[in-house]
Amino acid sequence: MSGQIIEGVYVGWDRIRESFSLDPAVSHLNHGSFGAVPIGVQRAQQRLRDEMEANPLRFFTQGLVDRIAHTRRHLAGFLGTDPDGSALVGNTTTGVAVVLQSLGLQPGDEVLSTDHGYGAVSLAIQRECRRTGAVSRVLPIPLAATDEQIVQTVRAGLRPGRTRLLVVDQLTSATARLFPAAAIVGVAREHGVPVLVDAAHAPGMLPTPVTSIGADFWVGNLHKWGYAPRGTALLAVTAPWRDRIEPLVVSWEQDAGFPARLEWQATLDYTSWLAAPAGLFTLRSLGVDRVREHNAALAAYGQRVVGDALGVPPAQLPDPGGPAVALRIIPLPAGMATTIDAARALQTRIGERLAAEVAVMSWNGRGWLRLTGQVYNAADEYERLAVRLPALLAQR
């Protein structure tokens, strides 16, 4: 696994890609959507599935709750949060739904978020507000806003006594922007407003311990940058709220309280959770800091070469707001991918015609290409995309 640094990017990792099942004929430049599970982690999960299928009754009834708790302690330790104040959930949007329905919203209450929020989270907020009579209010924040401007916008948008929850991203999905989450939480606390931090991309990518953010609720996926099997996320809840957290579906551990009442969902396939420590083992084996540095540098390189190919001046390439961010976005030509449907269609076309999996986002009426960096990527994959993409876009 040795390598050297050239322009901030680790090279000499050619064989790392062999640790993944990815199609070698495709450039996988969108790790941020669904991740990629290393082969060793896949095998660990398969061994757990084999154990489950060899004797389902024994697997589910003899010690599974304790095994889940042990896994939670392992993951919480890595993320820097209290294991007893955390619960395993299927993904970030599930954790968001749990928090929303546990608040007891009423008519006249409001849930405050920003226009950088993840689409499914926004839909969850809207649904809960429709169900309860509460109101969803969205704060517009310019893409180039400084951390101070973001904090000031949030401060001005809070309505103490009416704002029952503030939902902010730690790292946004559509705009690849690192938000000053800890500072935002501090401002909200001054006004008595609880905060839910959507940290879908944080575990494994960002080094910030959960406790240092101080949010009332924090939820992040480990199946993106933590190499865990899909369907693995952790919801952290501060002590005053734990007794109020209710699962979306009641099962046999309901009377055990938080977190067991949230984690136990009867015949759920728990093998993804139980195999998650193998993902963190992989990350640690590669070197956590080295992987983070490599991924961020490679994403920045991809943004530069593709941006240059599309005629985007360097000054117009959005800054993610932090050195560890392995997501980068590039503006697409005006009028392209201005709707979600158009963005999805273009993403599919790029995948089929250029053999490159990327993310195409529509945000505030503008189309954006999102690239990621991961250990299985190489600089020439971004270079090939840069050479071929302009011609494809010209065919619209």
Side-chain angles (χ1 to χ4, degrees):
M1 297 301 181
S2 62
Q4 58 179 320
I5 300 177
I6 298 178
E7 295 183 350
V9 178
Y10 276 99
V11 296
W13 284 17
D14 297 343
R15 303 201 63 174
I16 289 182
R17 184 152 182 159
E18 297 175 12
S19 297
F20 294 84
S21 301
L22 297 167
D23 183 350
V26 176
S27 294
H28 300 272
L29 308 178
N30 185 21
H31 186 88
S33 285
F34 299 103
V37 184
I39 293 173
V41 182
Q42 295 178 42
R43 290 173 177 168
Q45 184 179 16
Q46 187 57 53
R47 288 193 294 271
L48 289 161
R49 286 184 174 138
D50 291 343
E51 177 190 349
M52 177 174 62
E53 297 305 334
N55 193 329
L57 185 64
R58 178 180 298 171
F59 182 86
F60 281 97
T61 64
Q62 296 186 21
L64 181 54
V65 172
D66 291 337
R67 293 173 74 176
I68 294 170
H70 176 76
T71 297
R72 178 188 354 108
R73 287 192 291 271
H74 187 104
L75 302 184
F78 175 79
L79 296 173
T81 189
D82 178 8
D84 294 329
S86 306
L88 289 163
V89 292
N91 52 36
T92 294
T93 47
T94 298
V96 169
V98 166
V99 172
L100 287 171
Q101 63 93 35
S102 298
L103 288 174
L105 294 172
Q106 298 179 1
D109 293 339
E110 75 169 20
V111 178
L112 185 63
S113 59
T114 80
D115 61 352
H116 293 252
Y118 184 60
V121 170
S122 299
L123 291 173
I125 293 172
Q126 294 166 16
R127 186 188 70 169
E128 190 64 15
C129 287
R130 286 196 304 269
R131 190 180 72 84
T132 61
V135 175
S136 170
R137 189 160 59 90
V138 179
L139 292 175
I141 296 179
L143 184 60
T146 65
D147 285 357
E148 182 179 356
Q149 289 170 336
I150 294 172
V151 172
Q152 291 305 319
T153 299
V154 172
R155 184 192 301 274
L158 294 171
R159 296 176 180 175
R162 183 174 179 182
T163 305
R164 289 289 309 283
L165 182 69
L166 169 63
V167 181
V168 296
D169 294 73
Q170 188 169 347
L171 175 61
T172 66
S173 177
T175 57
R177 176 61 198 270
L178 186 65
F179 269 30
I184 292 172
V185 170
V187 166
R189 180 165 287 115
E190 292 173 7
H191 293 80
V193 176
V195 182
L196 165 60
V197 172
D198 176 348
H201 289 278
M205 184 201 296
L206 303 178
T208 310
V210 175
T211 52
S212 69
I213 297 173
D216 302 85
F217 314 99
W218 179 101
V219 58
N221 293 321
L222 284 107
H223 57 253
K224 293 181 183 285
W225 304 93
Y227 300 145
R230 293 172 194 87
T232 306
L234 195 77
L235 170 65
V237 180
T238 54
W241 289 97
R242 292 171 193 169
D243 289 343
R244 300 174 59 176
I245 296 296
E246 293 287 348
L248 299 176
V249 177
V250 173
S251 196
W252 284 102
E253 291 295 315
Q254 178 67 15
D255 293 338
F258 183 88
R261 66 163 51 142
L262 205 61
E263 293 174 333
W264 186 255
Q265 294 292 298
T267 52
L268 184 73
D269 183 349
Y270 299 95
T271 60
S272 60
W273 295 356
L274 299 181
L280 294 184
F281 176 80
T282 301
L283 180 58
R284 289 187 173 110
S285 297
L286 293 173
V288 178
D289 292 338
R290 190 169 82 160
V291 168
R292 285 170 174 161
E293 180 185 350
H294 169 271
N295 292 349
L298 197 53
Y301 178 75
Q303 183 190 44
R304 290 196 303 271
V305 297
V306 176
D308 181 66
L310 297 182
V312 182
Q316 294 181 19
L317 293 173
D319 186 336
V325 177
L327 293 169
R328 296 291 180 114
I329 61 171
I330 303 154
L332 290 169
M336 182 168 289
T338 58
T339 67
I340 292 177
D341 288 343
R344 289 173 177 169
L346 178 57
Q347 178 174 312
T348 299
R349 193 151 59 100
I350 293 172
E352 292 176 346
R353 298 192 183 183
L354 304 186
E357 297 296 349
V358 300
V360 178
M361 325 296 284
S362 177
W363 184 76
N364 279 4
R366 180 72 188 264
W368 302 85
L369 179 75
R370 193 188 74 185
L371 301 174
T372 62
Q374 189 47 258
V375 295
Y376 50 73
N377 291 130
D380 61 357
E381 295 181 283
Y382 305 91
E383 293 162 1
R384 286 197 301 271
L385 178 65
V387 169
R388 302 177 66 192
L389 183 61
L392 181 142
L393 297 182
Q395 296 171 3
R396 60 179 177 171

